[in-house]
Amino acid sequence: EESSVPQSSSGGDAAEDIQIAWENLESARSILNRMIDVDQTASSQSKGKTATTTSDEHNNESTGRSTDYRMDLAQIYSRLGDLSRHNGHYEASVRDYNLCRTERRQCLTGDAIYDRRVADVEYSLGMSCLLLASEGEKNLQNAEGSEPPPTTPTSPAAVASKHEQPGDESSSATTNAPSESKVTLSPDELQT
């Protein structure tokens, strides 16, 4: 029985798939931006004419379409952000998620600002910012040529094993003793 999902035979296929996805998303973004511009131009021209029932109905329909287009555009920005984050381009993902958030907040007003789509983009934006900060710290450490600060063991067993001497088998037997399992950490150690 054959699978309907194509199987990638190498890493090159995955890179090609990612490139195709990015190109499709960029094309969709460009098309939607043009559609929004055309819709806004049409609505501004109808406002310049005398108000009639027909133009009011057209204006309401145009506004609804424009909101739908903007929500679709926000979804495309979200997927572009996902793709950038997946590829390790955290600055681009932050930019795309910010564009997505702006579009969604313009479309969703009132109680709709609590919509899950807004929460989703806020979460994705936060994760990208954390990854960007983490990458920045790594780059800074590499530039300074320093190693990351040693982690302070917090469990009693870790403290005991840290102070255990090689070849000292009696210390491993006494690590369960209550007097030796006390851990005292300074405020600086607690913050790390």
Side-chain angles (χ1 to χ4, degrees):
E1 185 175 283
E2 291 186 31
S3 173
S4 62
V5 178
Q7 301 292 322
S8 64
S9 60
S10 68
D13 289 343
E16 185 178 323
D17 290 345
I18 289 171
Q19 179 65 26
I20 291 170
W22 182 83
E23 289 172 1
N24 285 328
L25 287 169
E26 282 295 320
S27 296
R29 181 193 57 77
S30 176
I31 291 168
L32 276 171
N33 275 329
R34 277 189 257 142
M35 291 172 72
I36 291 169
D37 289 343
V38 167
D39 204 41
Q40 287 175 347
T41 304
S43 88
S44 67
Q45 288 176 354
S46 69
K47 287 180 183 179
K49 297 178 182 177
T50 57
T52 63
T53 308
T54 309
S55 68
D56 286 342
E57 289 173 2
H58 174 71
N59 195 21
N60 288 340
E61 181 182 315
S62 176
T63 304
R65 271 196 321 244
S66 181
T67 300
D68 290 343
Y69 294 156
R70 291 179 95 69
M71 288 300 288
D72 289 343
L73 183 61
Q75 183 66 23
I76 289 170
Y77 281 132
S78 178
R79 293 299 157 241
L80 282 168
D82 292 344
L83 193 59
S84 295
R85 187 175 67 183
H86 174 75
N87 289 330
H89 304 292
Y90 304 123
E91 288 180 23
S93 70
V94 167
R95 182 192 66 237
D96 290 333
Y97 287 135
N98 273 324
L99 290 169
C100 174
R101 180 177 61 173
T102 300
E103 291 293 333
R104 285 185 178 166
R105 286 191 173 183
Q106 286 176 354
C107 295
L108 301 170
T109 58
D111 285 342
I113 62 168
Y114 302 111
D115 191 279
R116 116 189 120 66
R117 292 171 289 189
V118 174
D120 177 55
V121 74
E122 294 287 349
Y123 171 78
S124 296
L125 179 61
M127 290 303 296
S128 291
C129 287
L130 282 173
L131 291 168
L132 182 62
S134 174
E135 182 180 82
E137 282 182 13
K138 287 178 186 175
N139 290 341
L140 183 64
Q141 288 174 355
N142 289 339
E144 293 175 350
S146 66
E147 294 181 16
T151 57
T152 305
T154 57
S155 70
V159 171
S161 67
K162 181 180 176 183
H163 295 294
E164 192 173 304
Q165 298 295 324
D168 186 11
E169 294 159 10
S170 64
S171 64
S172 63
T174 60
T175 56
N176 293 334
S179 62
E180 290 185 26
S181 64
K182 275 190 173 179
V183 176
T184 305
L185 299 175
S186 72
D188 292 336
E189 293 173 325
L190 288 174
Q191 292 178 349
T192 57

